[in-house]
Amino acid sequence: MLRSCAALLRTPGAPRGRPGAPRRSFSSEKVVQKDCALPNPSWSKDLRLLFDQFMKKCEDGSWKRLPSYKQFFSKTFQGFQTLYLDPSLVKGEEHAQLFTRSFEDGLGFEYVMFYNDAEKRVLCFLQVGPHLQGAPGFVHGGAIATMMDSTTGTCACRAGGIAMTANLNINFKRPIPLCSVVVIDSQLDKVEGRKLFVSCNVRSVDEKTLHSEASALFIKLDPDKSLRKKR
Amino acid sequence: MLRSCAALLRTPGAPRGRPGAPRRSFSSEKVVQKDCALPNPSWSKDLRLLFDQFMKKCEDGSWKRLPSYKQFFSKTFQGFQTLYLDPSLVKGEEHAQLFTRSFEDGLGFEYVMFYNDAEKRVLCFLQVGPHLQGAPGFVHGGAIATMMDSTTGTCACRAGGIAMTANLNINFKRPIPLCSVVVIDSQLDKVEGRKLFVSCNVRSVDEKTLHSEASALFIKLDPDKSLRKKR
């Protein structure tokens, strides 16, 4: 399968680089990656205000802004790569991009997450770009599911260690207008052995509209088993 | 919110067009859209074989290939636009792209769906590109959720009329390696008034690996209420 992945990446016409992609290291050159969880010109006033408000809350250490990158390199997920990943999969990984960061600025997911360790809580401020459309004028349910999975997953991993989604149960209450800003509020509810139970909801910035709710179950990975071996 | 959407679309540096996007009609010129559910050079042998096999099954009319486009125009979702969409939302819609078709060829979702009316069943053959990464080497849970929502949603709408997702409950069993091909098999299980119950599973091409299962509930839209009025 990785041969076909390599073939894909050689597809004529496929872009060879994107704005914000890291400069690749082919020698000992240091890889420089752009932190995507910082304001860019596509951010609306609503998103920028929420960002500024929570950056202030970070000053006393109660909240922490979480950086975010298009690609996984040395520091990010180093433990995952070392402990769980079959080496045969690593070849393709260097060409891959994180799904939620694979869009041009402003067209897809624009977001920043903040973590509160005392509350085991992650807040995600999300602006939904025009390339996330489902029904005309509204965000695709899959795009909402994606950011609910990402936010609850970040909450699970921050609170309990490296884990993967086992179940995601979403109630879609009110559709989200395309290009609006929403707040995803996620919290660790319970830990039972390797099981981490996390819930979240998606609300409008003024908190008046509850767009969606979800509960998620994550399983902490077992360092004795690679994901590949389980298959 | 649509003002901010328009602002996004004017962001300096944002691409003004993508390969495969329709030629825009500013006068009476006819809009020509690319059907994305047809083979392109990024398709792997596995995906091409499944496509050819089911195109044969279409010859007797039992199965039907479903075309798919980046944008909604006159024919697609015309009923939705007329009956359910607040006119104030339509302005932004012409710039928007369907989430699952907003990637360059081969980098995101490459898929084709086939519908069997007698069985009320949709099969989706999906190749997961390198920009759909979650954990290193594997597809993002949100990308899987997106295609499960799309496939069950297509099944619901084909079998029961225009409907939107109310609940999506996914069990993730085995992670999907990036750049592989999987089969999403979706079926209408039950209809209760305006409720449509649809289930689906995601398997490897050889059917040996069950990657995920989901149940979904869709609600048929009421022509007397626009989505905007409900908010």
Side-chain angles (χ1 to χ4, degrees):
Chain A
M1 282 310 177
L2 281 163
R3 271 202 299 274
S4 74
C5 186
L8 273 178
L9 291 154
R10 287 195 303 271
T11 300
R16 303 194 62 92
R18 290 181 165 238
R23 290 190 294 114
R24 303 302 319 219
S25 169
F26 294 103
S27 62
S28 59
E29 189 194 353
K30 198 180 164 194
V31 174
V32 179
Q33 278 215 82
K34 176 186 158 188
D35 182 352
C36 301
L38 289 171
N40 69 50
S42 79
W43 283 28
S44 67
K45 195 178 156 188
D46 278 351
L47 185 57
R48 187 62 205 244
L49 277 172
L50 289 164
F51 176 83
D52 290 343
Q53 185 185 334
F54 271 76
M55 286 306 284
K56 281 230 169 72
K57 293 194 182 188
C58 290
E59 287 170 9
D60 67 3
S62 58
W63 289 86
K64 189 184 171 185
R65 184 187 70 86
L66 304 178
S68 169
Y69 305 98
K70 279 180 189 280
Q71 275 140 322
F72 296 107
F73 281 102
S74 52
K75 276 196 292 185
T76 322
F77 268 70
Q78 193 176 39
F80 182 93
Q81 290 189 325
T82 310
L83 293 172
Y84 307 106
L85 198 61
D86 189 299
S88 70
L89 285 174
V90 176
K91 283 183 247 167
E93 183 269 336
E94 67 180 287
H95 305 286
Q97 288 194 10
L98 182 66
F99 181 39
T100 56
R101 292 301 187 187
S102 63
F103 291 81
E104 304 283 347
D105 284 356
L107 296 181
F109 304 100
E110 290 292 338
Y111 65 95
V112 54
M113 293 186 195
F114 290 88
Y115 178 59
N116 185 313
D117 189 54
E119 297 177 11
K120 305 295 179 204
R121 183 177 172 206
V122 171
L123 280 176
C124 174
F125 304 124
L126 167 67
Q127 178 176 295
V128 282
H131 284 194
L132 306 182
Q133 184 170 248
F138 296 103
V139 180
H140 195 291
I144 304 164
T146 296
M147 288 309 302
M148 290 179 119
D149 183 39
S150 294
T151 306
T152 52
T154 300
C155 189
C157 290
R158 285 273 156 182
I162 294 175
M164 287 188 85
T165 324
N167 175 265
L168 183 63
N169 190 352
I170 305 170
N171 287 316
F172 297 96
K173 305 266 187 186
R174 294 281 179 275
I176 299 176
L178 214 54
C179 305
S180 60
V181 174
V182 293
V183 177
I184 309 176
D185 189 347
S186 165
Q187 190 143 16
L188 179 74
D189 295 326
K190 197 170 56 172
V191 180
E192 283 179 4
R194 286 171 52 210
K195 292 181 181 173
L196 304 163
F197 297 85
V198 187
S199 60
C200 78
N201 62 62
V202 185
R203 289 180 186 272
S204 57
V205 173
D206 64 9
E207 297 189 3
K208 285 181 183 165
T209 306
L210 173 61
H211 291 291
S212 310
E213 286 176 319
S215 59
L217 167 63
F218 293 85
I219 308 288
K220 283 177 73 169
L221 295 189
D222 180 349
D224 293 335
K225 294 180 187 171
S226 90
L227 290 167
R228 196 67 172 173
K229 281 178 195 160
K230 279 184 191 167
R231 296 166 54 80
Chain B
M1 282 311 176
L2 280 163
R3 271 201 300 274
S4 75
C5 186
L8 273 177
L9 291 154
R10 287 195 304 271
T11 300
R16 300 192 66 90
R18 289 178 166 239
R23 289 191 294 111
R24 303 301 320 217
S25 169
F26 294 105
S27 62
S28 58
E29 187 194 353
K30 199 181 163 194
V31 174
V32 179
Q33 277 215 80
K34 177 185 158 191
D35 182 352
C36 302
L38 289 170
N40 68 51
S42 79
W43 283 28
S44 66
K45 195 178 155 188
D46 278 350
L47 185 57
R48 186 63 205 242
L49 278 172
L50 288 165
F51 176 83
D52 290 343
Q53 185 185 332
F54 271 75
M55 285 307 284
K56 279 228 170 74
K57 293 194 183 190
C58 291
E59 288 169 9
D60 67 3
S62 58
W63 289 87
K64 188 184 171 187
R65 184 188 70 86
L66 303 179
S68 170
Y69 305 98
K70 279 181 190 279
Q71 275 140 324
F72 297 107
F73 282 104
S74 52
K75 276 196 292 186
T76 322
F77 267 70
Q78 192 177 38
F80 181 93
Q81 291 189 325
T82 310
L83 293 172
Y84 307 107
L85 198 61
D86 188 300
S88 69
L89 285 174
V90 177
K91 284 182 244 165
E93 183 267 337
E94 67 180 290
H95 304 287
Q97 288 194 9
L98 182 65
F99 180 39
T100 56
R101 293 300 188 187
S102 62
F103 291 81
E104 303 282 347
D105 283 357
L107 295 182
F109 304 99
E110 289 293 337
Y111 65 94
V112 54
M113 293 187 196
F114 290 88
Y115 178 60
N116 186 312
D117 190 54
E119 298 177 11
K120 305 294 180 205
R121 184 177 171 204
V122 171
L123 281 176
C124 174
F125 304 123
L126 168 67
Q127 177 177 295
V128 281
H131 283 194
L132 305 181
Q133 183 169 248
F138 295 103
V139 179
H140 196 290
I144 304 163
T146 296
M147 289 309 301
M148 291 178 118
D149 183 39
S150 295
T151 307
T152 53
T154 300
C155 189
C157 290
R158 285 273 155 184
I162 295 175
M164 287 188 84
T165 324
N167 176 264
L168 184 62
N169 190 353
I170 305 170
N171 287 316
F172 297 96
K173 306 266 188 185
R174 295 280 180 275
I176 299 176
L178 214 54
C179 303
S180 59
V181 174
V182 292
V183 178
I184 308 176
D185 189 347
S186 165
Q187 191 142 15
L188 179 73
D189 296 326
K190 198 171 53 172
V191 180
E192 283 179 4
R194 286 171 53 209
K195 291 182 181 174
L196 304 163
F197 297 85
V198 186
S199 60
C200 77
N201 62 61
V202 185
R203 289 180 186 274
S204 56
V205 173
D206 64 9
E207 297 189 4
K208 286 182 182 165
T209 305
L210 173 61
H211 291 292
S212 310
E213 285 177 322
S215 61
L217 167 63
F218 292 86
I219 308 289
K220 282 178 73 169
L221 295 189
D222 180 350
D224 293 335
K225 294 180 187 171
S226 89
L227 289 168
R228 196 64 173 175
K229 282 178 195 159
K230 280 185 192 166
R231 297 168 53 79

mmCIF file of all heavy atoms in Angstrom, chain B residues 113-154:
data_model
loop_
_atom_site.group_PDB
_atom_site.id
_atom_site.type_symbol
_atom_site.label_atom_id
_atom_site.label_comp_id
_atom_site.label_asym_id
_atom_site.label_seq_id
_atom_site.Cartn_x
_atom_site.Cartn_y
_atom_site.Cartn_z
ATOM 1 N N MET B 113 -19.443 6.058 -5.273
ATOM 2 C CA MET B 113 -20.532 5.328 -4.609
ATOM 3 C C MET B 113 -21.438 4.690 -5.652
ATOM 4 O O MET B 113 -21.660 5.264 -6.726
ATOM 5 C CB MET B 113 -21.372 6.270 -3.743
ATOM 6 C CG MET B 113 -20.630 6.828 -2.546
ATOM 7 S SD MET B 113 -21.754 7.775 -1.470
ATOM 8 C CE MET B 113 -20.556 8.679 -0.477
ATOM 9 N N PHE B 114 -21.961 3.517 -5.310
ATOM 10 C CA PHE B 114 -22.943 2.818 -6.143
ATOM 11 C C PHE B 114 -24.180 2.548 -5.294
ATOM 12 O O PHE B 114 -24.069 2.171 -4.129
ATOM 13 C CB PHE B 114 -22.363 1.494 -6.658
ATOM 14 C CG PHE B 114 -21.268 1.666 -7.678
ATOM 15 C CD1 PHE B 114 -19.936 1.799 -7.277
ATOM 16 C CD2 PHE B 114 -21.550 1.700 -9.041
ATOM 17 C CE1 PHE B 114 -18.916 1.962 -8.215
ATOM 18 C CE2 PHE B 114 -20.540 1.856 -9.977
ATOM 19 C CZ PHE B 114 -19.219 1.993 -9.564
ATOM 20 N N TYR B 115 -25.348 2.721 -5.921
ATOM 21 C CA TYR B 115 -26.618 2.547 -5.192
ATOM 22 C C TYR B 115 -27.409 1.399 -5.780
ATOM 23 O O TYR B 115 -27.520 1.275 -7.004
ATOM 24 C CB TYR B 115 -27.436 3.840 -5.283
ATOM 25 C CG TYR B 115 -28.793 3.756 -4.612
ATOM 26 C CD1 TYR B 115 -28.890 3.477 -3.254
ATOM 27 C CD2 TYR B 115 -29.976 3.968 -5.325
ATOM 28 C CE1 TYR B 115 -30.133 3.399 -2.630
ATOM 29 C CE2 TYR B 115 -31.220 3.906 -4.700
ATOM 30 C CZ TYR B 115 -31.282 3.614 -3.349
ATOM 31 O OH TYR B 115 -32.507 3.542 -2.725
ATOM 32 N N ASN B 116 -27.961 0.569 -4.892
ATOM 33 C CA ASN B 116 -28.855 -0.508 -5.292
ATOM 34 C C ASN B 116 -30.232 -0.201 -4.698
ATOM 35 O O ASN B 116 -30.415 -0.278 -3.472
ATOM 36 C CB ASN B 116 -28.315 -1.849 -4.762
ATOM 37 C CG ASN B 116 -29.126 -3.021 -5.276
ATOM 38 O OD1 ASN B 116 -30.352 -3.005 -5.216
ATOM 39 N ND2 ASN B 116 -28.444 -4.041 -5.788
ATOM 40 N N ASP B 117 -31.174 0.166 -5.551
ATOM 41 C CA ASP B 117 -32.471 0.618 -5.067
ATOM 42 C C ASP B 117 -33.269 -0.512 -4.436
ATOM 43 O O ASP B 117 -33.927 -0.316 -3.404
ATOM 44 C CB ASP B 117 -33.277 1.253 -6.217
ATOM 45 C CG ASP B 117 -34.535 1.943 -5.699
ATOM 46 O OD1 ASP B 117 -34.408 2.796 -4.793
ATOM 47 O OD2 ASP B 117 -35.634 1.616 -6.174
ATOM 48 N N ALA B 118 -33.189 -1.708 -5.017
ATOM 49 C CA ALA B 118 -33.954 -2.844 -4.477
ATOM 50 C C ALA B 118 -33.493 -3.172 -3.059
ATOM 51 O O ALA B 118 -34.303 -3.508 -2.191
ATOM 52 C CB ALA B 118 -33.794 -4.066 -5.386
ATOM 53 N N GLU B 119 -32.191 -3.072 -2.835
ATOM 54 C CA GLU B 119 -31.633 -3.402 -1.514
ATOM 55 C C GLU B 119 -31.532 -2.182 -0.596
ATOM 56 O O GLU B 119 -31.109 -2.321 0.558
ATOM 57 C CB GLU B 119 -30.237 -4.030 -1.679
ATOM 58 C CG GLU B 119 -30.237 -5.342 -2.449
ATOM 59 C CD GLU B 119 -28.831 -5.903 -2.659
ATOM 60 O OE1 GLU B 119 -27.879 -5.396 -2.040
ATOM 61 O OE2 GLU B 119 -28.704 -6.857 -3.452
ATOM 62 N N LYS B 120 -31.864 -0.984 -1.098
ATOM 63 C CA LYS B 120 -31.697 0.275 -0.340
ATOM 64 C C LYS B 120 -30.282 0.315 0.279
ATOM 65 O O LYS B 120 -30.108 0.497 1.499
ATOM 66 C CB LYS B 120 -32.758 0.409 0.772
ATOM 67 C CG LYS B 120 -34.186 0.284 0.286
ATOM 68 C CD LYS B 120 -34.583 1.432 -0.615
ATOM 69 C CE LYS B 120 -36.019 1.296 -1.110
ATOM 70 N NZ LYS B 120 -36.222 2.021 -2.391
ATOM 71 N N ARG B 121 -29.308 0.160 -0.583
ATOM 72 C CA ARG B 121 -27.928 -0.042 -0.125
ATOM 73 C C ARG B 121 -26.985 0.822 -0.950
ATOM 74 O O ARG B 121 -27.141 0.929 -2.165
ATOM 75 C CB ARG B 121 -27.596 -1.523 -0.320
ATOM 76 C CG ARG B 121 -26.248 -1.973 0.171
ATOM 77 C CD ARG B 121 -26.160 -3.474 -0.046
ATOM 78 N NE ARG B 121 -24.825 -3.976 0.207
ATOM 79 C CZ ARG B 121 -24.331 -5.092 -0.304
ATOM 80 N NH1 ARG B 121 -25.082 -5.855 -1.104
ATOM 81 N NH2 ARG B 121 -23.102 -5.476 -0.029
ATOM 82 N N VAL B 122 -26.023 1.443 -0.278
ATOM 83 C CA VAL B 122 -24.969 2.200 -0.970
ATOM 84 C C VAL B 122 -23.615 1.600 -0.627
ATOM 85 O O VAL B 122 -23.301 1.385 0.559
ATOM 86 C CB VAL B 122 -24.988 3.700 -0.567
ATOM 87 C CG1 VAL B 122 -23.764 4.430 -1.127
ATOM 88 C CG2 VAL B 122 -26.257 4.376 -1.082
ATOM 89 N N LEU B 123 -22.822 1.303 -1.646
ATOM 90 C CA LEU B 123 -21.436 0.887 -1.452
ATOM 91 C C LEU B 123 -20.536 2.043 -1.853
ATOM 92 O O LEU B 123 -20.731 2.650 -2.918
ATOM 93 C CB LEU B 123 -21.111 -0.328 -2.330
ATOM 94 C CG LEU B 123 -21.585 -1.681 -1.833
ATOM 95 C CD1 LEU B 123 -21.251 -2.749 -2.878
ATOM 96 C CD2 LEU B 123 -20.924 -2.045 -0.501
ATOM 97 N N CYS B 124 -19.563 2.349 -0.991
ATOM 98 C CA CYS B 124 -18.593 3.390 -1.307
ATOM 99 C C CYS B 124 -17.199 2.774 -1.343
ATOM 100 O O CYS B 124 -16.782 2.122 -0.380
ATOM 101 C CB CYS B 124 -18.646 4.489 -0.246
ATOM 102 S SG CYS B 124 -17.365 5.738 -0.433
ATOM 103 N N PHE B 125 -16.517 2.938 -2.467
ATOM 104 C CA PHE B 125 -15.131 2.483 -2.585
ATOM 105 C C PHE B 125 -14.245 3.696 -2.384
ATOM 106 O O PHE B 125 -14.334 4.661 -3.152
ATOM 107 C CB PHE B 125 -14.898 1.827 -3.946
ATOM 108 C CG PHE B 125 -15.846 0.691 -4.209
ATOM 109 C CD1 PHE B 125 -16.670 0.683 -5.333
ATOM 110 C CD2 PHE B 125 -15.946 -0.358 -3.312
ATOM 111 C CE1 PHE B 125 -17.564 -0.356 -5.551
ATOM 112 C CE2 PHE B 125 -16.850 -1.405 -3.518
ATOM 113 C CZ PHE B 125 -17.658 -1.403 -4.648
ATOM 114 N N LEU B 126 -13.424 3.641 -1.358
ATOM 115 C CA LEU B 126 -12.704 4.830 -0.881
ATOM 116 C C LEU B 126 -11.205 4.598 -0.791
ATOM 117 O O LEU B 126 -10.753 3.631 -0.169
ATOM 118 C CB LEU B 126 -13.239 5.211 0.517
ATOM 119 C CG LEU B 126 -12.455 6.228 1.327
ATOM 120 C CD1 LEU B 126 -12.503 7.616 0.689
ATOM 121 C CD2 LEU B 126 -12.959 6.288 2.773
ATOM 122 N N GLN B 127 -10.453 5.498 -1.409
ATOM 123 C CA GLN B 127 -8.990 5.503 -1.260
ATOM 124 C C GLN B 127 -8.640 6.712 -0.392
ATOM 125 O O GLN B 127 -9.025 7.838 -0.707
ATOM 126 C CB GLN B 127 -8.355 5.628 -2.639
ATOM 127 C CG GLN B 127 -6.836 5.712 -2.653
ATOM 128 C CD GLN B 127 -6.319 5.751 -4.090
ATOM 129 O OE1 GLN B 127 -6.473 4.791 -4.846
ATOM 130 N NE2 GLN B 127 -5.738 6.855 -4.475
ATOM 131 N N VAL B 128 -7.923 6.448 0.695
ATOM 132 C CA VAL B 128 -7.654 7.503 1.679
ATOM 133 C C VAL B 128 -6.267 8.100 1.440
ATOM 134 O O VAL B 128 -5.250 7.457 1.664
ATOM 135 C CB VAL B 128 -7.795 6.955 3.122
ATOM 136 C CG1 VAL B 128 -9.252 6.867 3.505
ATOM 137 C CG2 VAL B 128 -7.134 5.589 3.271
ATOM 138 N N GLY B 129 -6.234 9.340 1.002
ATOM 139 C CA GLY B 129 -4.988 9.997 0.603
ATOM 140 C C GLY B 129 -4.138 10.470 1.777
ATOM 141 O O GLY B 129 -4.581 10.470 2.934
ATOM 142 N N PRO B 130 -2.912 10.911 1.487
ATOM 143 C CA PRO B 130 -1.948 11.260 2.538
ATOM 144 C C PRO B 130 -2.293 12.508 3.353
ATOM 145 O O PRO B 130 -1.691 12.730 4.393
ATOM 146 C CB PRO B 130 -0.638 11.458 1.765
ATOM 147 C CG PRO B 130 -1.037 11.736 0.359
ATOM 148 C CD PRO B 130 -2.325 10.995 0.136
ATOM 149 N N HIS B 131 -3.273 13.292 2.892
ATOM 150 C CA HIS B 131 -3.640 14.475 3.674
ATOM 151 C C HIS B 131 -4.775 14.186 4.657
ATOM 152 O O HIS B 131 -5.375 15.113 5.203
ATOM 153 C CB HIS B 131 -4.022 15.631 2.742
ATOM 154 C CG HIS B 131 -2.816 16.292 2.133
ATOM 155 N ND1 HIS B 131 -2.863 17.494 1.502
ATOM 156 C CD2 HIS B 131 -1.510 15.892 2.082
ATOM 157 C CE1 HIS B 131 -1.639 17.817 1.078
ATOM 158 N NE2 HIS B 131 -0.818 16.855 1.401
ATOM 159 N N LEU B 132 -5.078 12.910 4.860
ATOM 160 C CA LEU B 132 -6.145 12.535 5.803
ATOM 161 C C LEU B 132 -5.569 11.924 7.080
ATOM 162 O O LEU B 132 -6.261 11.210 7.801
ATOM 163 C CB LEU B 132 -7.109 11.536 5.145
ATOM 164 C CG LEU B 132 -7.749 11.959 3.813
ATOM 165 C CD1 LEU B 132 -8.698 10.869 3.310
ATOM 166 C CD2 LEU B 132 -8.504 13.277 3.957
ATOM 167 N N GLN B 133 -4.314 12.221 7.373
ATOM 168 C CA GLN B 133 -3.650 11.552 8.485
ATOM 169 C C GLN B 133 -4.180 11.984 9.854
ATOM 170 O O GLN B 133 -4.484 13.156 10.084
ATOM 171 C CB GLN B 133 -2.147 11.834 8.424
ATOM 172 C CG GLN B 133 -1.360 11.108 9.516
ATOM 173 C CD GLN B 133 0.132 11.157 9.322
ATOM 174 O OE1 GLN B 133 0.770 10.150 9.055
ATOM 175 N NE2 GLN B 133 0.711 12.334 9.442
ATOM 176 N N GLY B 134 -4.278 10.996 10.751
ATOM 177 C CA GLY B 134 -4.549 11.264 12.163
ATOM 178 C C GLY B 134 -3.291 10.903 12.926
ATOM 179 O O GLY B 134 -2.288 11.610 12.855
ATOM 180 N N ALA B 135 -3.280 9.751 13.632
ATOM 181 C CA ALA B 135 -2.044 9.253 14.216
ATOM 182 C C ALA B 135 -1.087 8.908 13.069
ATOM 183 O O ALA B 135 -1.538 8.520 11.990
ATOM 184 C CB ALA B 135 -2.340 8.023 15.067
ATOM 185 N N PRO B 136 0.209 9.059 13.289
ATOM 186 C CA PRO B 136 1.164 8.838 12.196
ATOM 187 C C PRO B 136 0.960 7.500 11.493
ATOM 188 O O PRO B 136 0.917 6.449 12.136
ATOM 189 C CB PRO B 136 2.518 8.885 12.909
ATOM 190 C CG PRO B 136 2.283 9.741 14.105
ATOM 191 C CD PRO B 136 0.876 9.444 14.542
ATOM 192 N N GLY B 137 0.801 7.538 10.180
ATOM 193 C CA GLY B 137 0.646 6.317 9.396
ATOM 194 C C GLY B 137 -0.794 5.852 9.236
ATOM 195 O O GLY B 137 -1.058 4.919 8.475
ATOM 196 N N PHE B 138 -1.718 6.486 9.955
ATOM 197 C CA PHE B 138 -3.114 6.042 9.922
ATOM 198 C C PHE B 138 -4.063 7.191 9.579
ATOM 199 O O PHE B 138 -3.744 8.360 9.774
ATOM 200 C CB PHE B 138 -3.512 5.441 11.277
ATOM 201 C CG PHE B 138 -2.756 4.192 11.617
ATOM 202 C CD1 PHE B 138 -1.706 4.220 12.530
ATOM 203 C CD2 PHE B 138 -3.053 2.990 11.003
ATOM 204 C CE1 PHE B 138 -0.989 3.072 12.836
ATOM 205 C CE2 PHE B 138 -2.344 1.831 11.295
ATOM 206 C CZ PHE B 138 -1.315 1.869 12.208
ATOM 207 N N VAL B 139 -5.248 6.802 9.113
ATOM 208 C CA VAL B 139 -6.269 7.779 8.747
ATOM 209 C C VAL B 139 -6.895 8.391 10.016
ATOM 210 O O VAL B 139 -7.109 7.692 11.010
ATOM 211 C CB VAL B 139 -7.375 7.099 7.892
ATOM 212 C CG1 VAL B 139 -8.454 8.098 7.519
ATOM 213 C CG2 VAL B 139 -6.769 6.492 6.650
ATOM 214 N N HIS B 140 -7.180 9.676 9.961
ATOM 215 C CA HIS B 140 -7.833 10.391 11.066
ATOM 216 C C HIS B 140 -9.238 9.828 11.285
ATOM 217 O O HIS B 140 -9.964 9.583 10.304
ATOM 218 C CB HIS B 140 -7.928 11.873 10.687
ATOM 219 C CG HIS B 140 -8.221 12.794 11.833
ATOM 220 N ND1 HIS B 140 -9.438 12.832 12.468
ATOM 221 C CD2 HIS B 140 -7.449 13.712 12.455
ATOM 222 C CE1 HIS B 140 -9.401 13.739 13.431
ATOM 223 N NE2 HIS B 140 -8.206 14.284 13.443
ATOM 224 N N GLY B 141 -9.611 9.632 12.561
ATOM 225 C CA GLY B 141 -10.958 9.154 12.861
ATOM 226 C C GLY B 141 -12.031 10.045 12.253
ATOM 227 O O GLY B 141 -13.081 9.567 11.826
ATOM 228 N N GLY B 142 -11.760 11.332 12.184
ATOM 229 C CA GLY B 142 -12.717 12.275 11.602
ATOM 230 C C GLY B 142 -12.911 12.065 10.112
ATOM 231 O O GLY B 142 -14.002 12.287 9.575
ATOM 232 N N ALA B 143 -11.852 11.638 9.431
ATOM 233 C CA ALA B 143 -11.964 11.366 7.988
ATOM 234 C C ALA B 143 -12.828 10.121 7.754
ATOM 235 O O ALA B 143 -13.628 10.064 6.811
ATOM 236 C CB ALA B 143 -10.575 11.181 7.375
ATOM 237 N N ILE B 144 -12.682 9.143 8.648
ATOM 238 C CA ILE B 144 -13.522 7.943 8.553
ATOM 239 C C ILE B 144 -14.974 8.323 8.846
ATOM 240 O O ILE B 144 -15.900 7.929 8.121
ATOM 241 C CB ILE B 144 -13.028 6.865 9.553
ATOM 242 C CG1 ILE B 144 -11.556 6.551 9.305
ATOM 243 C CG2 ILE B 144 -13.881 5.602 9.462
ATOM 244 C CD1 ILE B 144 -10.887 5.824 10.468
ATOM 245 N N ALA B 145 -15.152 9.103 9.925
ATOM 246 C CA ALA B 145 -16.500 9.566 10.288
ATOM 247 C C ALA B 145 -17.139 10.327 9.131
ATOM 248 O O ALA B 145 -18.338 10.168 8.844
ATOM 249 C CB ALA B 145 -16.433 10.455 11.533
ATOM 250 N N THR B 146 -16.342 11.149 8.457
ATOM 251 C CA THR B 146 -16.844 11.950 7.337
ATOM 252 C C THR B 146 -17.402 11.056 6.235
ATOM 253 O O THR B 146 -18.507 11.292 5.723
ATOM 254 C CB THR B 146 -15.699 12.825 6.771
ATOM 255 O OG1 THR B 146 -15.301 13.745 7.785
ATOM 256 C CG2 THR B 146 -16.128 13.575 5.528
ATOM 257 N N MET B 147 -16.658 10.019 5.872
ATOM 258 C CA MET B 147 -17.120 9.161 4.785
ATOM 259 C C MET B 147 -18.249 8.234 5.225
ATOM 260 O O MET B 147 -19.084 7.834 4.405
ATOM 261 C CB MET B 147 -15.950 8.388 4.174
ATOM 262 C CG MET B 147 -15.004 9.273 3.365
ATOM 263 S SD MET B 147 -15.806 10.335 2.106
ATOM 264 C CE MET B 147 -16.631 9.105 1.084
ATOM 265 N N MET B 148 -18.291 7.898 6.523
ATOM 266 C CA MET B 148 -19.439 7.125 7.017
ATOM 267 C C MET B 148 -20.693 8.000 6.982
ATOM 268 O O MET B 148 -21.772 7.542 6.601
ATOM 269 C CB MET B 148 -19.163 6.622 8.433
ATOM 270 C CG MET B 148 -18.084 5.543 8.472
ATOM 271 S SD MET B 148 -17.739 5.013 10.167
ATOM 272 C CE MET B 148 -18.204 3.272 10.088
ATOM 273 N N ASP B 149 -20.550 9.249 7.389
ATOM 274 C CA ASP B 149 -21.686 10.183 7.343
ATOM 275 C C ASP B 149 -22.154 10.379 5.899
ATOM 276 O O ASP B 149 -23.359 10.356 5.614
ATOM 277 C CB ASP B 149 -21.266 11.526 7.966
ATOM 278 C CG ASP B 149 -22.402 12.533 8.026
ATOM 279 O OD1 ASP B 149 -23.537 12.128 8.319
ATOM 280 O OD2 ASP B 149 -22.166 13.722 7.768
ATOM 281 N N SER B 150 -21.186 10.543 4.983
ATOM 282 C CA SER B 150 -21.541 10.765 3.578
ATOM 283 C C SER B 150 -22.239 9.553 2.969
ATOM 284 O O SER B 150 -23.216 9.695 2.226
ATOM 285 C CB SER B 150 -20.285 11.081 2.751
ATOM 286 O OG SER B 150 -19.726 12.292 3.174
ATOM 287 N N THR B 151 -21.714 8.364 3.265
ATOM 288 C CA THR B 151 -22.267 7.151 2.660
ATOM 289 C C THR B 151 -23.646 6.830 3.234
ATOM 290 O O THR B 151 -24.596 6.567 2.478
ATOM 291 C CB THR B 151 -21.303 5.957 2.867
ATOM 292 O OG1 THR B 151 -20.010 6.327 2.398
ATOM 293 C CG2 THR B 151 -21.778 4.734 2.106
ATOM 294 N N THR B 152 -23.782 6.882 4.557
ATOM 295 C CA THR B 152 -25.100 6.614 5.147
ATOM 296 C C THR B 152 -26.088 7.723 4.750
ATOM 297 O O THR B 152 -27.267 7.447 4.499
ATOM 298 C CB THR B 152 -25.024 6.517 6.688
ATOM 299 O OG1 THR B 152 -24.376 7.688 7.206
ATOM 300 C CG2 THR B 152 -24.271 5.288 7.140
ATOM 301 N N GLY B 153 -25.585 8.952 4.656
ATOM 302 C CA GLY B 153 -26.448 10.070 4.247
ATOM 303 C C GLY B 153 -26.950 9.908 2.824
ATOM 304 O O GLY B 153 -28.115 10.195 2.529
ATOM 305 N N THR B 154 -26.065 9.451 1.953
ATOM 306 C CA THR B 154 -26.472 9.205 0.571
ATOM 307 C C THR B 154 -27.524 8.108 0.519
ATOM 308 O O THR B 154 -28.524 8.204 -0.199
ATOM 309 C CB THR B 154 -25.238 8.820 -0.281
ATOM 310 O OG1 THR B 154 -24.305 9.909 -0.235
ATOM 311 C CG2 THR B 154 -25.620 8.534 -1.720
#
